[in-house]
Amino acid sequence: MATSFQAVAECWRIVLIIVERDGSLVLVVEPTRTLVPCPQCGEASGRQHSWYERRPLDLPWRGHTVRMRVHSRLWFCDTPACPRKIFAERFGGVLARYARRTSDTTDLLTTFALQAGGEGGARLARAAGVPVSPDTLLRLLHALTDAEQARSPRVLGVDDLALRRKQRQYGTVLVDLETHRAIDLLDDRTAEVFAGWLRSHPGVEIIVRDRAGAYAEGGRQGAPDAIQVADRYHLSANASAALDELMRSRKRHIEYVTVAEPTDPQDGPTPTAPVPPPSQTQQHLAVRRARRSARWDEVRARRAAGYPIARIAREMRMHRRTVRRYLATPTPPRNRPAERPKPAGLTSPTLQPFVEYLQGRWQAGCTNVAQLRREIAAQGYRGSYSLLMQALQPWRGPRPPPEPGRGRRRGWPRIKRVNVRWLCLRPPDQLEPYEHEALQKVLEEDDYLHAGYELLQRFRHLVARRSVRELDDWLADAIESGLRPFVSLAHGIQDDRAAVMNGLTLPWSTGPVEGTVTRAKLLKRQGYGRASTRLLRRRLISAA
């Protein structure tokens, strides 16, 4: 708001600030210019016709809504050649013609719409103090223009995007890989749509894509001189899919293997944990216990020396009953009373009529609280089950220690079932030693699976090293192996050999495109699944 007033300080001034009952503010603004240029001919006019009031919405102040009350004036244009005889006063780029809000407010609402969409942006705007409807924010999004629409990227990344959930409707995301910015979103992923976009945007030199045939054909039709690059990640994913198809087609009877996961090799007794230092309360209780034991020893020592009880009590400042209790106990007194014999009497008045019956049943061996409640309920008990449970809990003895043979002992292996598909597709450096042993055992039992696994690992290594020489040997071995999924993969790589070679030699990849697809999914879900492709395209491009 300060920027707006600085830009038109020579046009108006604030004459009054009104605070409404709801906390909103009203700024009364008066124009200050004596000569106003005509928007048609540009000649200044000093003859006022009339005035009218405008009430645009301005930027909020500390969460409170701010509205302006602008006295806009009408002027005569005295230029004979000008077709406009009466014109309204303009306020530059701060308050547009017929606008219901200032330009800064429109920019703020546009930012809310780009970041949170229609519904979410309206909630943010309402909390910030700029009440607006979701439809207004959507209109602001549709009114945006592409700043870089005329510029074609030199390096183009392309990938598909699911536009509707549970429906086979896909779009195409186009990303400038040099700036990592989304430049367009197409309604389909066919070769004709992609080729048409390339024809209307000449200048693309490199096309980075996955192994989809539609994009390869569209690139050849729309930009025949462009260099096509196959993404390395998708190449490795195709090889993994070939091994997965091989395992599924053979219908292995063993889908899981049982492996023994070893524990800590240093078997033996569990080391004793260090004893924590005593707390302040424990230290205080220990001091009191030592003082009480010392007094007990002193009382018994004086009694053994022939002192009478009255003299001991007088000299040690104790009561005679305390002296007698110390002399009667063979051990130093404890700081808590001894436990009462079980079963004891129940203190609840509701259970008093049934104490003798419950004690007899407990002594007979019935310790099931639910059964006891049913029995005393037949005799007139109207209390709750929880009351009976809490009352009978002290009758139960301490829990017995766990049996030494139950549970898994320390040092014993933990048996687990591992999916064979998971073992074969996971990188070998991420497997544990016992998983390596299980995998080798599975591969030794199946020659075809062993051959496919070796082809997959070789292909991963040549892609990681970007070795073009090893690619020819691998293609020959894959065709000679007779494994149908790998034979199909080898023929597909040979048909797309130029793009695969460029993928191994050039540094470009579809990583930024995958990130843009993830962001597009977030924007799509913020629209609650009802946003059109046009609106999704607008948010994806403008928010990049």
Side-chain angles (χ1 to χ4, degrees):
M1 183 169 58
T3 304
S4 302
F5 287 127
Q6 290 177 2
V8 292
E10 71 281 358
C11 299
W12 60 30
R13 61 187 176 90
I14 300 177
V15 297
L16 183 62
I17 300 177
I18 303 174
V19 181
E20 301 288 349
R21 292 184 177 179
D22 57 355
S24 61
L25 303 178
V26 177
L27 306 182
V28 181
V29 178
E30 291 287 352
T32 58
R33 291 181 295 181
T34 57
L35 296 177
V36 179
C38 175
Q40 187 73 22
C41 63
E43 294 293 333
S45 174
R47 194 159 60 98
Q48 183 177 347
H49 175 272
S50 59
W51 68 275
Y52 65 99
E53 188 176 85
R54 299 178 63 180
R55 296 190 176 186
L57 183 67
D58 200 7
L59 291 176
W61 181 78
R62 299 182 64 86
H64 297 284
T65 303
V66 178
R67 291 190 177 274
M68 301 176 63
R69 188 181 298 175
V70 183
H71 291 179
S72 182
R73 297 172 294 183
L74 296 175
W75 300 83
F76 288 102
C77 183
D78 297 329
T79 304
C82 183
R84 179 171 293 183
K85 301 304 179 183
I86 299 174
F87 63 90
E89 186 175 2
R90 305 294 176 86
F91 298 101
V94 179
L95 184 59
R97 186 183 180 189
Y98 303 122
R100 302 295 301 272
R101 54 186 171 269
T102 60
S103 301
D104 292 341
T105 307
T106 302
D107 295 340
L108 177 64
L109 295 178
T110 304
T111 302
F112 286 156
L114 288 175
Q115 299 300 326
E119 296 289 343
R123 289 192 292 266
L124 289 176
R126 193 178 303 112
V130 193
V132 70
S133 66
D135 293 336
T136 300
L137 296 181
L138 295 182
R139 283 194 294 270
L140 292 177
L141 287 178
H142 289 304
L144 292 177
T145 57
D146 296 337
E148 302 180 359
Q149 184 174 6
R151 191 182 69 86
S152 298
R154 188 182 69 89
V155 183
L156 177 66
V158 55
D159 200 356
D160 56 358
L161 167 68
L163 298 177
R164 292 291 182 269
R165 187 177 182 181
K166 296 182 179 180
Q167 298 180 13
R168 294 186 177 181
Q169 183 177 357
Y170 293 88
T172 300
V173 178
L174 303 178
V175 179
D176 187 351
L177 292 183
E178 292 183 324
T179 61
H180 294 186
R181 293 177 63 91
I183 57 178
D184 208 341
L185 175 62
L186 308 182
D187 291 333
D188 207 342
R189 61 174 180 179
T190 60
E192 293 76 12
V193 173
F194 183 46
W197 188 92
L198 290 175
R199 294 190 190 100
S200 60
H201 297 78
V204 177
E205 300 178 4
I206 300 176
I207 300 176
V208 186
R209 56 173 175 80
D210 54 11
R211 297 293 314 291
Y215 295 140
E217 182 63 25
R220 285 190 290 267
Q221 295 178 6
D225 297 334
I227 299 175
Q228 297 194 22
V229 179
D231 183 63
R232 294 179 294 276
Y233 167 77
H234 289 88
L235 289 173
S236 299
N238 294 147
S240 301
L243 181 62
D244 189 15
E245 183 182 355
L246 176 64
M247 289 188 291
R248 295 179 185 274
S249 61
R250 290 184 57 78
K251 297 182 179 180
R252 292 181 50 84
H253 298 287
I254 302 177
E255 296 184 0
Y256 294 89
V257 293
T258 303
V259 297
E261 180 181 0
T263 57
D264 190 358
Q266 297 179 356
D267 297 335
T270 304
T272 305
V275 180
S279 62
Q280 186 176 2
T281 303
Q282 294 175 345
Q283 295 177 7
H284 179 66
L285 293 177
V287 171
R288 292 183 57 186
R289 188 180 305 109
R291 187 186 307 117
R292 190 165 49 250
S293 299
R295 289 169 62 86
W296 179 81
D297 294 336
E298 182 67 20
V299 168
R300 298 182 69 88
R302 295 195 179 194
R303 184 59 176 173
Y307 285 57
I309 294 179
R311 182 180 175 182
I312 297 175
R314 183 173 61 254
E315 293 180 356
M316 298 188 64
R317 297 182 180 181
M318 299 172 59
H319 200 277
R320 291 190 297 272
R321 287 196 297 270
T322 305
V323 175
R324 292 191 182 94
R325 187 175 69 251
Y326 278 14
L327 295 175
T329 55
T331 59
R334 300 169 56 88
N335 57 348
R336 57 182 178 182
E339 297 181 359
R340 294 183 299 176
K342 302 174 184 178
L346 304 180
T347 58
S348 174
T350 308
L351 294 172
Q352 287 299 323
F354 313 100
V355 172
E356 295 183 1
Y357 178 80
L358 291 174
Q359 288 178 341
R361 292 288 292 147
W362 195 274
Q363 293 292 340
C366 181
T367 58
N368 190 329
V369 179
Q371 176 65 26
L372 294 176
R373 184 181 182 276
R374 288 192 293 267
E375 294 178 1
I376 62 177
Q379 302 177 13
Y381 174 68
R382 295 296 180 265
S384 63
Y385 172 84
S386 60
L387 174 62
L388 183 61
M389 171 65 75
Q390 295 176 4
L392 298 184
Q393 187 64 30
W395 290 9
R396 300 185 181 275
R399 289 186 177 182
E403 300 179 6
R406 300 191 61 179
R408 186 173 65 90
R409 297 182 180 180
R410 178 176 176 83
W412 286 21
R414 183 168 66 93
I415 305 301
K416 58 182 298 188
R417 299 172 69 240
V418 182
N419 194 330
V420 176
R421 177 175 175 270
W422 182 84
L423 286 176
C424 294
L425 297 180
R426 194 168 180 83
D429 56 347
Q430 298 181 10
L431 295 177
E432 299 294 337
Y434 64 92
E435 294 173 340
H436 271 291
E437 296 178 2
L439 176 60
Q440 293 299 327
K441 183 178 180 181
V442 171
L443 296 179
E444 291 175 359
E445 297 175 356
D446 194 332
D447 296 336
Y448 289 96
L449 181 59
H450 186 271
Y453 182 80
E454 292 297 332
L455 289 174
L456 172 61
Q457 300 306 322
R458 286 178 54 192
F459 191 81
R460 286 177 175 177
H461 291 164
L462 73 88
V463 171
R465 292 193 297 266
R466 301 188 184 184
S467 177
V468 179
R469 296 180 179 179
E470 297 180 11
L471 180 61
D472 296 332
D473 297 338
W474 186 91
L475 292 175
D477 294 342
I479 295 176
E480 293 177 0
S481 65
L483 304 178
R484 183 174 299 177
F486 285 94
V487 172
S488 176
L489 175 61
H491 288 312
I493 292 178
Q494 287 180 347
D495 296 338
D496 198 18
R497 183 182 180 84
V500 174
M501 300 287 286
N502 294 330
L504 296 178
T505 56
L506 297 179
W508 305 106
S509 69
T510 59
V513 187
E514 298 293 343
T516 304
V517 170
T518 302
R519 185 168 70 252
K521 292 179 180 179
L522 173 63
L523 297 178
K524 182 182 66 174
R525 283 160 178 76
Q526 286 181 347
Y528 300 96
R530 300 191 297 269
S532 62
T533 307
R534 178 179 171 222
L535 180 60
L536 180 60
R537 174 183 177 274
R538 171 60 52 216
R539 291 194 61 190
L540 182 63
I541 297 175
S542 300

